Coordinates of all heavy atoms in Angstrom, one line a residue:
M1 N 4.2 14.6 -28.3 CA 2.8 14.5 -28.1 C 2.5 14.6 -26.6 O 3.3 14.1 -25.8 CB 2.3 13.2 -28.7 CG 0.8 13.0 -28.4 SD 0.0 12.1 -29.7 CE -0.3 13.3 -30.8
M2 N 1.4 15.3 -26.2 CA 1.0 15.4 -24.8 C -0.2 14.6 -24.5 O -1.1 14.5 -25.3 CB 0.7 16.9 -24.6 CG 0.4 17.3 -23.2 SD 1.9 17.3 -22.1 CE 2.7 18.8 -22.8
Y3 N -0.1 13.9 -23.4 CA -1.2 13.0 -23.0 C -1.7 13.5 -21.6 O -1.0 14.2 -20.9 CB -0.8 11.6 -22.9 CG -0.4 11.0 -24.2 CD1 0.9 10.7 -24.5 CD2 -1.3 10.8 -25.2 CE1 1.3 10.2 -25.8 CE2 -1.0 10.3 -26.5 CZ 0.4 10.0 -26.7 OH 0.7 9.5 -27.9
R4 N -2.9 13.0 -21.2 CA -3.5 13.4 -19.9 C -3.5 12.1 -19.1 O -3.9 11.0 -19.5 CB -5.0 13.9 -20.1 CG -5.7 14.1 -18.9 CD -6.1 15.5 -18.5 NE -5.5 16.6 -19.1 CZ -4.7 17.5 -18.4 NH1 -4.5 17.4 -17.1 NH2 -4.2 18.6 -19.0
I5 N -3.0 12.2 -17.9 CA -2.9 11.1 -16.9 C -4.0 11.5 -15.8 O -3.9 12.6 -15.2 CB -1.6 11.0 -16.3 CG1 -0.4 11.0 -17.3 CG2 -1.5 9.7 -15.4 CD1 -0.5 9.9 -18.4
T6 N -4.9 10.6 -15.5 CA -5.9 10.8 -14.5 C -5.8 9.7 -13.4 O -5.6 8.5 -13.7 CB -7.3 10.7 -15.2 OG1 -7.4 11.6 -16.2 CG2 -8.4 10.9 -14.2
V7 N -5.9 10.2 -12.2 CA -5.8 9.3 -11.0 C -7.3 9.0 -10.7 O -8.1 9.9 -10.3 CB -5.1 10.0 -9.8 CG1 -5.1 9.1 -8.6 CG2 -3.7 10.4 -10.3
R8 N -7.6 7.7 -10.8 CA -9.0 7.3 -10.6 C -9.6 7.7 -9.3 O -10.7 8.2 -9.2 CB -9.2 5.8 -10.8 CG -10.6 5.3 -10.6 CD -10.8 3.8 -10.9 NE -10.3 3.4 -12.2 CZ -11.0 3.5 -13.3 NH1 -12.2 4.2 -13.3 NH2 -10.5 3.1 -14.5
E9 N -8.9 7.5 -8.2 CA -9.5 7.7 -6.9 C -9.7 9.2 -6.5 O -10.7 9.5 -5.8 CB -8.6 7.1 -5.8 CG -8.6 5.6 -5.7 CD -7.6 5.0 -6.7 OE1 -6.9 5.7 -7.4 OE2 -7.6 3.7 -6.8
T10 N -8.9 10.1 -7.0 CA -9.0 11.5 -6.7 C -9.6 12.3 -7.8 O -10.1 13.4 -7.6 CB -7.7 12.1 -6.3 OG1 -6.8 12.0 -7.5 CG2 -7.0 11.3 -5.2
G11 N -9.6 11.8 -9.0 CA -10.1 12.6 -10.2 C -9.1 13.6 -10.7 O -9.3 14.3 -11.6
E12 N -7.9 13.7 -10.0 CA -6.9 14.6 -10.4 C -6.3 14.2 -11.8 O -6.2 13.0 -12.0 CB -5.7 14.6 -9.4 CG -6.0 15.3 -8.1 CD -4.8 15.2 -7.2 OE1 -4.5 14.1 -6.7 OE2 -4.1 16.2 -7.0
S13 N -5.9 15.1 -12.6 CA -5.3 14.8 -13.8 C -4.1 15.8 -14.1 O -4.1 16.9 -13.5 CB -6.2 14.8 -15.0 OG -6.7 16.0 -15.2
F14 N -3.2 15.4 -14.9 CA -2.1 16.2 -15.2 C -1.5 15.8 -16.6 O -1.8 14.7 -17.1 CB -1.0 16.0 -14.2 CG -0.5 14.6 -13.9 CD1 0.5 14.1 -14.6 CD2 -1.2 13.8 -13.0 CE1 0.9 12.8 -14.4 CE2 -0.8 12.5 -12.7 CZ 0.3 12.0 -13.4
P15 N -0.9 16.7 -17.3 CA -0.3 16.4 -18.6 C 1.0 15.7 -18.5 O 1.8 15.9 -17.5 CB -0.1 17.8 -19.2 CG 0.2 18.7 -18.0 CD -0.7 18.1 -16.9
C16 N 1.3 14.9 -19.5 CA 2.5 14.1 -19.5 C 2.9 14.0 -21.0 O 2.1 13.5 -21.8 CB 2.4 12.8 -18.9 SG 3.9 11.8 -18.8
Q17 N 4.1 14.4 -21.3 CA 4.6 14.3 -22.7 C 5.0 12.8 -23.0 O 5.3 12.0 -22.1 CB 5.8 15.2 -22.9 CG 5.5 16.6 -22.8 CD 6.7 17.5 -23.0 OE1 7.6 17.2 -23.7 NE2 6.7 18.6 -22.3
S18 N 5.0 12.4 -24.3 CA 5.2 11.1 -24.6 C 6.7 10.6 -24.3 O 6.9 9.4 -24.2 CB 5.0 10.9 -26.1 OG 5.8 11.7 -26.9
N19 N 7.6 11.6 -24.2 CA 9.0 11.2 -23.9 C 9.3 11.5 -22.4 O 10.5 11.6 -22.0 CB 9.9 12.0 -24.8 CG 9.9 13.5 -24.5 OD1 9.0 14.0 -23.9 ND2 10.8 14.2 -25.1
E20 N 8.3 11.6 -21.6 CA 8.5 11.9 -20.1 C 8.0 10.7 -19.3 O 6.9 10.1 -19.6 CB 7.6 13.2 -19.8 CG 7.7 13.7 -18.4 CD 7.0 15.0 -18.2 OE1 6.0 15.2 -18.9 OE2 7.3 15.8 -17.3
F21 N 8.6 10.4 -18.2 CA 8.2 9.4 -17.3 C 6.9 9.9 -16.6 O 6.9 11.1 -16.2 CB 9.3 9.0 -16.4 CG 10.4 8.2 -17.1 CD1 11.5 8.8 -17.4 CD2 10.2 6.9 -17.4 CE1 12.5 8.2 -18.1 CE2 11.2 6.2 -18.1 CZ 12.4 6.8 -18.4
V22 N 6.0 9.0 -16.4 CA 4.7 9.5 -15.7 C 5.0 10.0 -14.3 O 4.4 11.1 -14.0 CB 3.7 8.3 -15.7 CG1 2.5 8.7 -14.9 CG2 3.3 7.9 -17.1
L23 N 5.9 9.4 -13.6 CA 6.2 10.0 -12.2 C 6.8 11.4 -12.3 O 6.4 12.2 -11.6 CB 7.1 9.0 -11.5 CG 7.5 9.5 -10.1 CD1 6.3 9.6 -9.2 CD2 8.6 8.6 -9.5
A24 N 7.7 11.6 -13.3 CA 8.3 12.9 -13.5 C 7.2 14.0 -13.8 O 7.2 15.1 -13.2 CB 9.3 12.9 -14.6
A25 N 6.2 13.6 -14.6 CA 5.1 14.5 -14.9 C 4.3 14.8 -13.7 O 3.8 15.9 -13.4 CB 4.3 14.0 -16.0
M26 N 4.0 13.8 -12.9 CA 3.3 13.9 -11.6 C 4.0 14.8 -10.7 O 3.4 15.7 -10.1 CB 3.1 12.5 -11.0 CG 2.1 12.5 -9.9 SD 1.9 10.8 -9.2 CE 0.8 10.0 -10.5
I27 N 5.3 14.7 -10.5 CA 6.1 15.5 -9.7 C 6.0 17.0 -10.2 O 5.8 17.9 -9.4 CB 7.5 15.0 -9.5 CG1 7.5 13.7 -8.8 CG2 8.4 16.1 -8.8 CD1 8.9 13.0 -8.9
R28 N 6.3 17.1 -11.5 CA 6.3 18.5 -12.1 C 5.0 19.2 -11.9 O 4.9 20.4 -11.6 CB 6.6 18.4 -13.6 CG 6.6 19.7 -14.3 CD 6.8 19.5 -15.8 NE 6.2 18.4 -16.5 CZ 4.9 18.3 -16.8 NH1 4.1 19.3 -16.4 NH2 4.4 17.3 -17.4
S29 N 3.9 18.5 -12.0 CA 2.6 19.1 -12.0 C 2.0 19.2 -10.5 O 1.0 19.9 -10.3 CB 1.6 18.3 -12.8 OG 1.3 17.1 -12.3
R30 N 2.7 18.6 -9.6 CA 2.3 18.6 -8.2 C 0.9 18.0 -8.0 O 0.1 18.4 -7.2 CB 2.4 19.9 -7.6 CG 3.8 20.5 -7.6 CD 3.9 21.9 -7.2 NE 4.5 22.3 -6.0 CZ 5.3 21.7 -5.1 NH1 5.6 20.5 -5.3 NH2 5.8 22.3 -4.1
R31 N 0.6 16.9 -8.8 CA -0.6 16.2 -8.7 C -0.3 14.7 -8.4 O 0.7 14.2 -8.8 CB -1.4 16.3 -10.0 CG -1.7 17.7 -10.4 CD -3.1 18.0 -9.9 NE -3.5 19.3 -10.5 CZ -3.4 20.5 -9.8 NH1 -2.9 20.5 -8.7 NH2 -3.9 21.6 -10.4
G32 N -1.3 14.1 -7.8 CA -1.2 12.6 -7.7 C -1.0 12.2 -6.3 O -0.6 12.9 -5.4
P33 N -1.2 10.9 -6.0 CA -1.2 10.4 -4.7 C 0.0 9.7 -4.2 O 0.1 9.1 -3.1 CB -2.3 9.3 -4.8 CG -2.1 8.8 -6.2 CD -1.8 10.0 -7.0
V34 N 1.1 9.7 -5.0 CA 2.3 9.0 -4.6 C 3.4 9.9 -4.2 O 3.6 11.0 -4.7 CB 2.8 8.0 -5.7 CG1 1.7 7.0 -6.0 CG2 3.2 8.7 -6.9
V35 N 4.2 9.4 -3.2 CA 5.4 10.1 -2.9 C 6.5 9.4 -3.8 O 6.2 8.5 -4.5 CB 5.8 9.8 -1.4 CG1 4.8 10.5 -0.5 CG2 5.9 8.4 -1.1
H36 N 7.6 10.0 -3.9 CA 8.7 9.4 -4.7 C 9.9 9.1 -4.0 O 10.2 9.7 -2.9 CB 9.0 10.3 -6.0 CG 9.4 11.7 -5.6 ND1 10.8 12.0 -5.5 CD2 8.8 12.8 -5.4 CE1 10.9 13.3 -5.1 NE2 9.7 13.8 -5.1
G37 N 10.6 8.1 -4.4 CA 11.8 7.7 -3.8 C 13.0 7.8 -4.8 O 13.4 8.9 -5.2
C38 N 13.4 6.6 -5.2 CA 14.6 6.6 -6.1 C 14.4 7.1 -7.5 O 15.4 7.5 -8.1 CB 15.2 5.2 -6.1 SG 14.2 4.0 -7.1
C39 N 13.2 7.1 -8.0 CA 12.9 7.5 -9.4 C 13.6 6.6 -10.4 O 13.8 7.0 -11.6 CB 13.2 8.9 -9.6 SG 12.1 10.0 -8.6
G40 N 14.0 5.4 -10.0 CA 14.8 4.6 -11.0 C 14.3 3.1 -11.0 O 15.0 2.3 -11.6
G41 N 13.1 2.8 -10.4 CA 12.6 1.5 -10.5 C 13.0 0.5 -9.4 O 12.6 -0.6 -9.5
G42 N 13.7 1.0 -8.4 CA 14.2 0.1 -7.4 C 13.4 0.2 -6.1 O 13.4 -0.8 -5.3
C43 N 12.8 1.3 -5.7 CA 12.2 1.4 -4.4 C 10.7 0.9 -4.3 O 10.3 0.5 -3.2 CB 12.3 2.8 -3.8 SG 11.3 4.0 -4.6
G44 N 10.0 1.0 -5.4 CA 8.6 0.6 -5.4 C 7.6 1.6 -4.9 O 6.4 1.3 -4.8
V45 N 8.0 2.7 -4.5 CA 7.1 3.7 -3.9 C 6.0 4.2 -4.9 O 4.9 4.4 -4.5 CB 7.8 4.9 -3.3 CG1 6.9 6.0 -2.8 CG2 8.8 4.5 -2.2
C46 N 6.3 4.3 -6.1 CA 5.4 4.8 -7.2 C 4.6 3.7 -7.9 O 4.1 3.9 -8.9 CB 6.2 5.6 -8.2 SG 7.4 4.7 -9.1
R47 N 4.5 2.5 -7.2 CA 3.7 1.4 -7.8 C 2.2 1.7 -7.9 O 1.6 2.1 -6.9 CB 3.9 0.2 -6.8 CG 3.2 -1.0 -7.2 CD 3.5 -2.1 -6.2 NE 2.3 -2.9 -5.9 CZ 2.4 -4.3 -6.1 NH1 3.5 -4.9 -6.5 NH2 1.3 -5.0 -5.9
M48 N 1.7 1.6 -9.1 CA 0.3 1.9 -9.3 C -0.2 0.9 -10.4 O 0.6 0.3 -11.1 CB 0.0 3.3 -9.7 CG 0.3 4.3 -8.5 SD -0.3 5.9 -8.8 CE -2.1 5.7 -8.4
R49 N -1.5 0.9 -10.6 CA -2.1 0.1 -11.7 C -2.5 1.0 -12.8 O -3.1 2.1 -12.6 CB -3.3 -0.6 -11.1 CG -4.0 -1.5 -12.2 CD -5.2 -2.3 -11.6 NE -4.8 -3.1 -10.5 CZ -4.1 -4.3 -10.5 NH1 -3.7 -4.8 -11.7 NH2 -3.8 -4.9 -9.4
I50 N -2.3 0.6 -14.0 CA -2.8 1.2 -15.2 C -4.1 0.6 -15.5 O -4.2 -0.5 -15.9 CB -1.8 1.1 -16.4 CG1 -0.4 1.6 -16.1 CG2 -2.4 1.8 -17.7 CD1 -0.3 3.0 -15.7
D51 N -5.2 1.4 -15.4 CA -6.6 0.9 -15.6 C -7.0 1.0 -17.1 O -7.7 0.2 -17.6 CB -7.6 1.7 -14.8 CG -7.4 1.4 -13.3 OD1 -7.0 0.3 -12.9 OD2 -7.8 2.3 -12.5
S52 N -6.5 2.0 -17.7 CA -6.8 2.1 -19.2 C -5.7 3.0 -19.8 O -5.1 3.8 -19.2 CB -8.1 2.7 -19.4 OG -8.2 4.1 -19.0
G53 N -5.5 2.7 -21.1 CA -4.5 3.5 -21.9 C -3.3 2.6 -22.2 O -3.2 1.5 -21.7
E54 N -2.5 3.2 -23.1 CA -1.3 2.5 -23.5 C 0.0 3.2 -23.0 O 0.0 4.4 -22.9 CB -1.2 2.4 -25.0 CG -2.4 1.6 -25.6 CD -2.4 1.5 -27.1 OE1 -1.3 1.6 -27.7 OE2 -3.4 1.3 -27.7
Y55 N 1.0 2.4 -22.7 CA 2.3 3.0 -22.2 C 3.4 2.1 -22.7 O 3.2 0.9 -23.1 CB 2.3 3.1 -20.7 CG 2.1 1.7 -20.0 CD1 3.2 1.0 -19.6 CD2 0.8 1.2 -19.7 CE1 3.1 -0.3 -19.0 CE2 0.7 -0.1 -19.1 CZ 1.8 -0.8 -18.8 OH 1.7 -2.0 -18.2
E56 N 4.6 2.6 -22.5 CA 5.8 1.8 -22.9 C 6.7 1.8 -21.7 O 6.9 2.8 -21.0 CB 6.5 2.5 -24.0 CG 7.7 1.7 -24.5 CD 8.4 2.3 -25.7 OE1 7.9 3.2 -26.3 OE2 9.5 1.8 -26.0
K57 N 7.1 0.6 -21.3 CA 8.1 0.4 -20.2 C 9.5 0.7 -20.8 O 10.0 0.1 -21.7 CB 8.0 -1.0 -19.7 CG 9.0 -1.2 -18.5 CD 8.8 -2.6 -17.9 CE 9.5 -3.6 -18.8 NZ 9.7 -5.0 -18.2
I58 N 10.1 1.8 -20.2 CA 11.4 2.2 -20.7 C 12.5 1.7 -19.8 O 13.5 1.3 -20.2 CB 11.4 3.8 -20.7 CG1 10.3 4.3 -21.6 CG2 12.8 4.3 -21.2 CD1 10.3 4.0 -23.0
K59 N 12.3 1.8 -18.4 CA 13.2 1.3 -17.5 C 12.8 0.0 -16.9 O 11.6 -0.3 -16.9 CB 13.4 2.3 -16.3 CG 13.9 3.6 -16.6 CD 14.0 4.4 -15.4 CE 14.3 5.9 -15.6 NZ 14.2 6.7 -14.4
R60 N 13.8 -0.8 -16.4 CA 13.5 -2.1 -15.8 C 12.9 -1.9 -14.4 O 13.3 -1.0 -13.6 CB 14.8 -2.8 -15.7 CG 14.7 -4.2 -15.4 CD 16.1 -4.8 -15.5 NE 16.0 -6.2 -15.3 CZ 17.0 -7.0 -15.2 NH1 18.2 -6.5 -15.2 NH2 16.9 -8.3 -15.1
M61 N 11.8 -2.6 -14.1 CA 11.1 -2.5 -12.8 C 11.7 -3.6 -11.9 O 11.8 -4.8 -12.3 CB 9.6 -2.7 -13.0 CG 8.9 -1.6 -13.7 SD 7.2 -1.8 -13.7 CE 6.9 -1.7 -15.5
S62 N 11.9 -3.3 -10.7 CA 12.4 -4.2 -9.7 C 11.3 -5.3 -9.5 O 10.2 -5.0 -9.2 CB 12.7 -3.5 -8.4 OG 12.8 -4.5 -7.3
R63 N 11.7 -6.6 -9.7 CA 10.8 -7.7 -9.5 C 10.5 -7.9 -8.0 O 9.5 -8.6 -7.6 CB 11.4 -9.0 -10.0 CG 11.5 -9.0 -11.5 CD 10.1 -8.9 -12.1 NE 10.1 -8.8 -13.6 CZ 9.2 -8.1 -14.3 NH1 8.3 -7.5 -13.7 NH2 9.3 -8.0 -15.6
A64 N 11.2 -7.2 -7.1 CA 10.8 -7.2 -5.7 C 9.6 -6.4 -5.4 O 8.9 -6.6 -4.4 CB 12.0 -6.6 -4.8
H65 N 9.2 -5.5 -6.4 CA 8.1 -4.6 -6.2 C 6.9 -4.9 -7.3 O 5.8 -4.7 -7.0 CB 8.5 -3.2 -6.3 CG 9.5 -2.8 -5.3 ND1 9.2 -2.9 -3.9 CD2 10.8 -2.5 -5.4 CE1 10.3 -2.5 -3.3 NE2 11.3 -2.3 -4.1
V66 N 7.3 -5.4 -8.4 CA 6.3 -5.8 -9.5 C 6.8 -7.1 -10.1 O 7.8 -7.1 -10.8 CB 6.2 -4.7 -10.5 CG1 5.2 -5.1 -11.6 CG2 5.8 -3.3 -9.9
S67 N 6.0 -8.1 -9.8 CA 6.3 -9.4 -10.4 C 5.9 -9.4 -11.9 O 5.2 -8.6 -12.3 CB 5.6 -10.6 -9.7 OG 4.2 -10.5 -10.0
E68 N 6.4 -10.4 -12.6 CA 6.0 -10.5 -14.0 C 4.5 -10.7 -14.2 O 3.9 -10.1 -15.1 CB 6.7 -11.7 -14.7 CG 8.2 -11.5 -15.0 CD 8.8 -12.6 -15.7 OE1 8.3 -13.0 -16.8 OE2 9.9 -13.1 -15.3
D69 N 3.9 -11.5 -13.3 CA 2.5 -11.7 -13.4 C 1.7 -10.4 -13.0 O 0.7 -10.1 -13.7 CB 2.0 -12.8 -12.4 CG 2.4 -14.2 -12.9 OD1 2.7 -14.3 -14.1 OD2 2.5 -15.1 -12.0
E70 N 2.2 -9.6 -12.1 CA 1.6 -8.4 -11.7 C 1.7 -7.4 -12.9 O 0.7 -6.7 -13.2 CB 2.2 -7.8 -10.5 CG 1.8 -8.5 -9.2 CD 2.6 -8.0 -8.0 OE1 3.8 -7.6 -8.1 OE2 2.0 -8.0 -6.9
E71 N 2.8 -7.4 -13.5 CA 3.0 -6.5 -14.6 C 2.1 -6.8 -15.8 O 1.5 -5.9 -16.4 CB 4.5 -6.6 -15.1 CG 4.8 -5.5 -16.2 CD 6.3 -5.6 -16.6 OE1 7.1 -6.1 -15.9 OE2 6.5 -5.1 -17.7
K72 N 1.8 -8.0 -16.0 CA 0.8 -8.4 -17.0 C -0.6 -8.0 -16.7 O -1.4 -7.8 -17.7 CB 0.8 -10.0 -17.2 CG 2.1 -10.5 -17.8 CD 2.1 -12.0 -17.9 CE 3.4 -12.5 -18.4 NZ 3.5 -14.0 -18.3
T73 N -0.9 -7.7 -15.5 CA -2.2 -7.2 -15.1 C -2.3 -5.7 -15.0 O -3.3 -5.1 -14.6 CB -2.7 -7.8 -13.7 OG1 -1.9 -7.3 -12.7 CG2 -2.7 -9.3 -13.8
G74 N -1.2 -5.0 -15.4 CA -1.2 -3.6 -15.4 C -0.5 -2.9 -14.2 O -0.5 -1.7 -14.1
L75 N 0.1 -3.6 -13.3 CA 0.8 -3.0 -12.2 C 2.2 -2.5 -12.7 O 2.8 -3.3 -13.5 CB 1.0 -4.0 -11.0 CG -0.1 -4.2 -10.1 CD1 0.1 -5.3 -9.1 CD2 -0.4 -2.9 -9.4
V76 N 2.5 -1.3 -12.4 CA 3.8 -0.7 -12.9 C 4.4 0.2 -11.8 O 3.7 0.5 -10.9 CB 3.5 0.1 -14.2 CG1 3.0 -0.7 -15.3 CG2 2.6 1.3 -13.9
L77 N 5.6 0.6 -12.1 CA 6.2 1.6 -11.3 C 6.2 2.8 -12.3 O 6.7 2.8 -13.4 CB 7.7 1.3 -11.0 CG 7.8 0.0 -10.1 CD1 9.3 -0.3 -9.8 CD2 7.1 0.2 -8.8
L78 N 5.5 3.9 -11.8 CA 5.3 5.1 -12.7 C 6.6 5.7 -13.1 O 6.7 6.4 -14.2 CB 4.5 6.1 -12.0 CG 3.0 5.7 -11.7 CD1 2.3 6.9 -11.0 CD2 2.3 5.2 -12.9
C79 N 7.7 5.5 -12.4 CA 9.0 6.1 -12.8 C 9.6 5.3 -14.0 O 10.6 5.8 -14.5 CB 10.0 6.1 -11.6 SG 10.5 4.4 -11.1
C80 N 9.0 4.2 -14.4 CA 9.6 3.4 -15.4 C 8.8 3.4 -16.7 O 9.3 2.8 -17.7 CB 9.7 1.9 -15.0 SG 10.8 1.7 -13.6
I81 N 7.7 4.1 -16.8 CA 6.9 4.1 -18.0 C 6.7 5.5 -18.6 O 6.7 6.5 -17.9 CB 5.5 3.4 -17.7 CG1 4.7 4.2 -16.7 CG2 5.7 2.0 -17.2 CD1 3.2 3.9 -16.7
Q82 N 6.4 5.5 -19.9 CA 6.1 6.7 -20.6 C 4.7 6.4 -21.3 O 4.5 5.3 -21.8 CB 7.2 7.1 -21.6 CG 8.4 7.5 -20.9 CD 9.6 7.8 -21.9 OE1 9.5 7.5 -23.1 NE2 10.6 8.4 -21.4
P83 N 3.9 7.4 -21.4 CA 2.6 7.2 -22.0 C 2.6 7.1 -23.5 O 3.5 7.8 -24.1 CB 1.8 8.4 -21.5 CG 2.8 9.5 -21.4 CD 4.0 8.8 -20.9
R84 N 1.7 6.4 -24.1 CA 1.5 6.3 -25.5 C 0.1 6.6 -25.9 O -0.3 6.6 -27.0 CB 1.9 4.9 -26.0 CG 3.3 4.5 -25.8 CD 4.2 5.5 -26.6 NE 5.6 5.3 -26.3 CZ 6.4 6.1 -25.6 NH1 5.9 7.2 -25.0 NH2 7.7 5.8 -25.4
S85 N -0.7 7.0 -24.8 CA -2.1 7.5 -24.9 C -2.4 8.1 -23.6 O -1.6 8.1 -22.7 CB -3.0 6.3 -25.3 OG -3.2 5.5 -24.1
D86 N -3.6 8.7 -23.5 CA -4.1 9.1 -22.2 C -4.2 7.9 -21.3 O -4.5 6.8 -21.8 CB -5.5 9.7 -22.3 CG -5.5 11.1 -23.0 OD1 -4.4 11.7 -23.2 OD2 -6.6 11.5 -23.4
L87 N -3.9 8.1 -20.0 CA -3.9 6.9 -19.0 C -4.8 7.2 -17.9 O -5.0 8.4 -17.5 CB -2.5 6.7 -18.5 CG -1.4 6.3 -19.4 CD1 -0.1 6.2 -18.6 CD2 -1.7 5.0 -20.1
V88 N -5.4 6.2 -17.3 CA -6.1 6.2 -16.0 C -5.3 5.3 -15.1 O -5.1 4.1 -15.4 CB -7.6 5.8 -16.1 CG1 -8.2 5.8 -14.8 CG2 -8.3 6.7 -17.1
V89 N -4.9 5.8 -14.0 CA -4.1 5.0 -13.0 C -4.9 5.0 -11.7 O -5.7 5.8 -11.4 CB -2.7 5.6 -12.8 CG1 -1.9 5.7 -14.1 CG2 -2.7 7.0 -12.1
S90 N -4.6 3.9 -10.9 CA -5.2 3.8 -9.6 C -4.3 3.1 -8.6 O -3.2 2.6 -9.0 CB -6.5 2.9 -9.7 OG -6.2 1.6 -10.1
K91 N -4.6 3.2 -7.4 CA -3.8 2.7 -6.3 C -3.6 1.2 -6.5 O -4.4 0.5 -7.0 CB -4.4 3.0 -4.9 CG -5.7 2.4 -4.6 CD -6.2 2.8 -3.3 CE -7.5 2.1 -3.0 NZ -8.0 2.4 -1.6
A92 N -2.5 0.8 -5.9 CA -2.1 -0.6 -6.1 C -1.6 -1.2 -4.7 O -0.4 -1.1 -4.4 CB -1.0 -0.8 -7.1
G93 N -2.6 -1.6 -3.9 CA -2.2 -2.2 -2.7 C -1.9 -1.4 -1.5 O -1.4 -1.9 -0.5
R94 N -2.2 -0.1 -1.5 CA -2.0 0.7 -0.3 C -3.0 1.8 -0.4 O -3.5 2.2 -1.4 CB -0.6 1.3 -0.2 CG -0.2 2.3 -1.2 CD 1.1 2.9 -0.9 NE 1.4 4.0 -1.8 CZ 1.9 3.9 -3.0 NH1 2.3 2.8 -3.4 NH2 2.1 5.0 -3.7
D95 N -3.4 2.3 0.8 CA -4.5 3.3 0.9 C -3.9 4.7 0.5 O -2.9 5.1 1.0 CB -5.0 3.3 2.3 CG -6.2 4.3 2.4 OD1 -7.1 4.1 1.6 OD2 -6.2 5.1 3.3
L96 N -4.6 5.4 -0.4 CA -4.2 6.7 -0.8 C -4.1 7.7 0.4 O -3.3 8.6 0.4 CB -5.1 7.3 -1.8 CG -5.1 6.7 -3.2 CD1 -6.1 7.4 -4.1 CD2 -3.7 6.8 -3.8
A97 N -4.9 7.5 1.4 CA -4.8 8.4 2.6 C -3.5 8.2 3.3 O -3.1 9.1 4.0 CB -6.0 8.0 3.6
D98 N -2.8 7.1 3.1 CA -1.5 6.9 3.8 C -0.4 7.5 3.0 O 0.7 7.6 3.5 CB -1.2 5.4 3.9 CG -2.2 4.7 4.9 OD1 -2.8 5.5 5.8 OD2 -2.4 3.5 4.8
S99 N -0.7 7.9 1.8 CA 0.4 8.5 0.9 C 0.3 10.0 1.0 O -0.8 10.6 1.2 CB 0.2 8.1 -0.5 OG 0.3 6.7 -0.6
K100 N 1.4 10.7 0.8 CA 1.4 12.1 0.7 C 1.3 12.6 -0.7 O 2.0 12.0 -1.6 CB 2.7 12.7 1.3 CG 2.8 12.4 2.8 CD 4.1 12.9 3.3 CE 4.3 12.4 4.7 NZ 5.7 12.7 5.2
A101 N 0.6 13.6 -1.0 CA 0.6 14.1 -2.4 C 1.9 14.8 -2.6 O 2.6 15.3 -1.7 CB -0.6 15.2 -2.5
I102 N 2.3 14.8 -3.9 CA 3.6 15.3 -4.2 C 3.5 16.8 -4.2 O 2.6 17.5 -4.5 CB 4.0 14.9 -5.7 CG1 4.1 13.4 -5.7 CG2 5.2 15.6 -6.2 CD1 4.3 12.8 -7.0

């Protein structure tokens, strides 16, 4: 199944398959506000907030970058989640102008 991921601040959107990590789809489509680092949940570079939609956490997220309480409020590492519906994501604690588009 294919879902649409939309970045709230820029209005950019890109497709993401249900078995694909959101960060991988963002890289593939060359859309979105985050740079990427380890792509494995350890560096925290792809930290964003899920504003709406459903997702599944597939990989473990480093607690140095996303605490349990933050995760409960929708903060995630995009390299660790796969969509289960269309998603709207937004920045989480850093200015988009300071990030490079992929």
